[in-house]
Amino acid sequence: MAGGIKMGFMRLMQNLQDPQHVARFQRLCGVRGVEARDRLSNGASCVGHGYNVSQNGGGDGIRRRAPEIETDREKRNNGVADDCARDERRVDGSEQDSARGSTVKPMRRNSLTGDVGQEFLVENKLLFYLFMLGTELGNELFYICFFPNFMWNVDAFVSRRLVVVWVWVMYLGQCTKDVIRRPRPASPPVVKVEMFYNSEYSMPSTHAMSGTAIPLSLFLITYGRWEYPLLLGVSLAIGWCVVVCLSRIYMGMHSILDVIVGFLYSLLILLIFGPALDTIDTFNQTHPYAPVLIVSLHLGLGLFSFTLDTWSTSRGDTAQILGSGAGIALASHLNHRLGLLSDPPVSMLPLQPPAFTLSMIGLCALRFLLGVIILLVTRAVMKALTIPLVCWVFGIPSNDVRKARQHMEVELPYRYIVYGTVGFNSLFLVPFVFAHIGLL
């Protein structure tokens, strides 16, 4: 009985990992690779299923060839044969297909290989832009805008706790990827709509983890602290989570199983660390030894995560997240001492959302624009100073910055210093400037 349940569970896991499900979802949403169709229209055939994986940026990529890929080759070849048969039936209507959609290149090239990926056909632009938005909700540009803006214009109390959740979820997710070492969905049959993270391992989906943890934590922390309808908060959290999770399948970056594991893993982390948020935030703000422990803890976690088999964007992202979290935690300690962005007294809770007037919207927009400019300038200046300095210290050539950053000796201090400074400035320098020019 137990053996039958175990076998059934393993078959379910293998089924959810099948890249054919990802390819079917992409076709359902109007995404199709153009390579097979173009070859057929030029007189080529699908004999041998000769897709060029190196050209289209296969999920297993140049970085790894895991054993799981080889054992699934026959299954993929059968799936490719089905795709070729479908493409043959579409050849006569290929011009109509092109008229209904537009051919585009993947989002951002792979930062490890420089691979720009395979062109693909988008037949549903609404879904394309929706899932582009969903995947951006887990990228650096969103984080550098969302967390600071929440600090400056909404509630620093909530933002500090969200950052703690984000750091733990992303750190554990990235480390787990490099322990499990599951490859990205195979291409073909999957179309790589995004290429930037293609060299990383796949399980769990850290986009799904952050897309679950951030909106859920936002709801749990703000509900009762701020007055707003319960249905609004629940709807926003669910919608955010669903769009981010589905976007990773749409982009061809994750299997269904990767997304489910990321979702459940995020819930488990919240269940464990959620009750400790108040304790962690209070310690960061008030304990006299908090700065020493913050730096030591984040640096130690980063050193542990840097024991990877080879370089990928995962290692740099982990250091970047830890550096940002350390900088924000240090700033919260200094802010508490100086009284910057102080939390409202408990007697004022629950807080009432302010009336939306033109002056209030203009003030928030001014804070956001000025603050983001300061952070972007901070990042650019610190990058320009830190990378050559670290390369000089460790005797690593800095003429090729991309290769230099792949050395652990460069990447660890570079990411920590740059993004630690960005995080620190977001919660200290920017509010300090606002206070002195009358924007607080």
Side-chain angles (χ1 to χ4, degrees):
M1 180 67 177
I5 294 175
K6 182 178 180 180
M7 290 297 295
F9 178 76
M10 293 303 296
R11 283 195 296 269
L12 176 62
M13 295 299 100
Q14 291 175 359
N15 185 43
L16 292 175
Q17 193 78 14
D18 191 345
Q20 288 294 341
H21 296 316
V22 179
R24 291 188 190 103
F25 180 76
Q26 289 182 312
R27 289 194 294 269
L28 180 66
C29 295
V31 173
R32 288 198 301 243
V34 299
E35 183 180 358
R37 191 161 36 234
D38 288 346
R39 274 203 313 274
L40 287 167
S41 62
N42 290 330
S45 68
C46 281
V47 175
H49 319 310
Y51 283 68
N52 188 337
V53 177
S54 64
Q55 287 183 350
N56 65 15
D60 346 314
I62 296 173
R63 181 185 175 200
R64 311 174 177 92
R65 290 292 179 190
E68 293 85 352
I69 294 299
E70 300 302 323
T71 58
D72 287 341
R73 177 173 292 171
E74 184 176 352
K75 182 189 295 184
R76 287 208 315 274
N77 286 344
N78 293 336
V80 172
D82 293 339
D83 288 341
C84 289
R86 280 189 290 269
D87 284 331
E88 286 172 350
R89 291 194 294 268
R90 285 198 207 103
V91 170
D92 292 337
S94 60
E95 293 183 2
Q96 289 85 343
D97 286 342
S98 298
R100 289 200 307 270
S102 57
T103 302
V104 296
K105 297 289 289 184
M107 297 169 58
R108 296 180 295 271
R109 68 179 183 177
N110 187 302
S111 61
L112 173 62
T113 65
D115 192 355
V116 296
Q118 162 198 20
E119 288 189 350
F120 55 89
L121 185 68
V122 174
E123 295 175 348
N124 190 322
K125 291 186 178 180
L126 178 61
L127 288 179
F128 177 69
Y129 291 121
L130 175 65
F131 289 130
M132 277 184 61
L133 172 64
T135 203
E136 288 301 328
L137 291 177
N139 289 338
E140 179 185 352
L141 180 60
F142 167 73
Y143 295 137
I144 205 171
C145 293
F146 175 75
F147 290 127
N149 184 51
F150 217 93
M151 296 172 190
W152 308 328
N153 287 321
V154 184
D155 193 341
F157 173 94
V158 175
S159 188
R160 292 195 309 266
R161 283 158 171 77
L162 283 177
V163 168
V164 172
V165 171
W166 171 67
V167 169
W168 279 108
V169 165
M170 294 298 292
Y171 173 75
L172 292 174
Q174 295 283 22
C175 289
T176 304
K177 276 185 180 182
D178 290 293
V179 171
I180 298 177
R181 299 186 179 184
R182 293 292 300 183
R184 295 283 182 181
S187 176
V190 172
V191 177
K192 297 297 179 180
V193 180
E194 183 183 53
M195 291 296 299
F196 185 75
Y197 298 105
N198 200 43
S199 60
E200 292 184 11
Y201 290 120
S202 186
M203 181 186 291
S205 166
T206 47
H207 267 78
M209 291 180 70
S210 67
T212 301
I214 292 176
L216 182 57
S217 299
L218 182 61
F219 169 69
L220 294 175
I221 296 171
T222 58
Y223 190 71
R225 179 177 175 83
W226 286 84
E227 286 192 356
Y228 62 84
L230 174 64
L231 183 60
L232 175 63
V234 172
S235 301
L236 177 62
I238 293 175
W240 185 332
C241 178
V242 169
V243 169
V244 173
C245 289
L246 290 181
S247 74
R248 303 317 289 161
I249 302 175
Y250 179 92
M251 295 291 169
M253 287 289 98
H254 289 285
S255 68
I256 296 174
L257 183 61
D258 296 338
V259 171
I260 292 175
V261 171
F263 172 77
L264 295 177
Y265 193 21
S266 184
L267 294 182
L268 177 63
I269 294 171
L270 288 181
L271 186 64
I272 295 173
F273 287 98
L277 280 179
D278 285 338
T279 302
I280 294 171
D281 188 53
T282 302
F283 176 86
N284 289 343
Q285 286 190 296
T286 61
H287 199 280
Y289 296 118
V292 175
L293 185 59
I294 288 168
V295 173
S296 302
L297 176 63
H298 288 76
L299 186 59
L301 291 174
L303 287 171
F304 174 78
S305 69
F306 268 56
T307 57
L308 302 179
D309 55 348
T310 185
W311 184 88
S312 78
T313 52
S314 175
R315 189 169 69 181
D317 288 347
T318 303
Q320 181 174 315
I321 290 162
L322 290 170
S324 301
I328 290 172
L330 288 173
S332 69
H333 184 84
L334 186 57
N335 277 9
H336 182 74
R337 289 183 173 274
L338 298 180
L340 282 174
L341 291 179
S342 56
D343 300 328
V346 178
S347 59
M348 294 182 59
L349 303 180
L351 301 173
Q352 297 280 346
F356 286 92
T357 62
L358 287 177
S359 60
M360 187 273 288
I361 294 173
L363 179 61
C364 290
L366 182 59
R367 286 177 188 153
F368 175 74
L369 291 175
L370 180 59
V372 168
I373 289 172
I374 292 174
L375 296 187
L376 292 177
V377 170
T378 298
R379 187 180 66 169
V381 171
M382 292 305 297
K383 277 187 176 182
L385 295 176
T386 305
I387 295 177
L389 176 62
V390 175
C391 288
W392 176 77
V393 169
F394 290 99
I396 296 172
S398 60
N399 53 328
D400 189 336
V401 175
R402 189 161 68 100
K403 286 187 177 180
R405 285 168 49 184
Q406 295 180 19
H407 291 270
M408 185 181 74
E409 299 87 346
V410 175
E411 191 165 33
L412 178 58
Y414 148 65
R415 294 277 188 168
Y416 267 99
I417 294 171
V418 171
Y419 288 94
T421 306
V422 170
F424 182 83
N425 285 354
S426 66
L427 191 55
F428 175 72
L429 178 62
V430 173
F432 184 82
V433 171
F434 288 169
H436 281 75
I437 62 176
L439 288 181
L440 280 183

